Amino acid sequence: MRKLLLLIIISTLFLACQPGNKAKDDAVNFKNVNQQMTKSFSDLNAQDTFKIELNGRKPENMVLVFNIKKAGGKEIYHVQLKGSDLIGDTDPNLDLSKEKDQMTFLKTIADNFFAEDNFLEPAVLPEDKADNYVPDKVLYEELKKSRLNGFKYRLGKENNVYIAWSEKEQKVKIYYKCC
């Protein structure tokens, strides 16, 4: 009986010291993303606040919220991107079949949202020519003259959105949308 009891105790200790089970190992350890930074955007002499949030616990329910506020606090741009849309419109060679990989992918998008090359200073260079990806030629010409800065972000595999402040219309507009 003593040997059996000793065997049970040793077995219990052995199992307790083993790493977690497979299901636990595959669990996603995720913290919501909440970042902000200031950059000149709607006014070359003032700093606007750019903010990105990634909220949710499951990729299909996650939402990436991006907004820009002027120096005085007034919101001038707001967009919500569904995690499921971002996952669905990505490189088909990228394997996102597992939830863990989807979470990592969405977190990477949020973490890289404010990469330095997404801030375009100025939005449009004087020598730039409008092409078929320019939805508003008048705004494009306005940006050449104002020399205001732009910002670009990715909606999917080949879908970049370029935005800038229109002094004339007093709002943020898309000035380029392309691959």
Side-chain angles (χ1 to χ4, degrees), residues 59-137:
E60 64 270 12
N61 300 328
M62 294 181 86
V63 177
L64 187 116
V65 180
F66 169 53
N67 66 45
I68 304 171
K69 290 184 180 178
K70 288 182 79 117
K74 180 184 176 198
E75 186 174 78
I76 56 174
Y77 191 73
H78 182 91
V79 66
Q80 293 186 15
L81 309 170
K82 292 180 183 177
S84 57
D85 292 344
L86 292 169
I87 291 167
D89 190 20
T90 191
D91 186 341
N93 297 322
L94 189 61
D95 182 12
L96 295 177
S97 57
K98 295 179 183 166
E99 183 178 285
K100 182 178 179 181
D101 296 331
Q102 293 172 7
M103 296 288 275
T104 301
F105 175 76
L106 291 171
K107 184 160 180 358
T108 300
I109 288 175
D111 286 341
N112 294 330
F113 209 80
F114 293 147
E116 196 60 39
D117 63 343
N118 288 341
F119 293 92
L120 309 165
E121 299 177 6
V124 179
L125 296 170
E127 65 273 7
D128 288 347
K129 303 270 188 259
D131 60 23
N132 293 336
Y133 300 110
V134 174
D136 186 338
K137 308 260 192 267

Side-chain angles (χ1 to χ4, degrees), residues 113 117-120 150-154 160-163 175:
F113 209 80
D117 63 343
N118 288 341
F119 293 92
L120 309 165
F151 181 77
K152 74 172 181 172
Y153 60 92
R154 186 170 214 109
N160 289 312
V161 175
Y162 294 71
I163 58 173
Y175 71 92

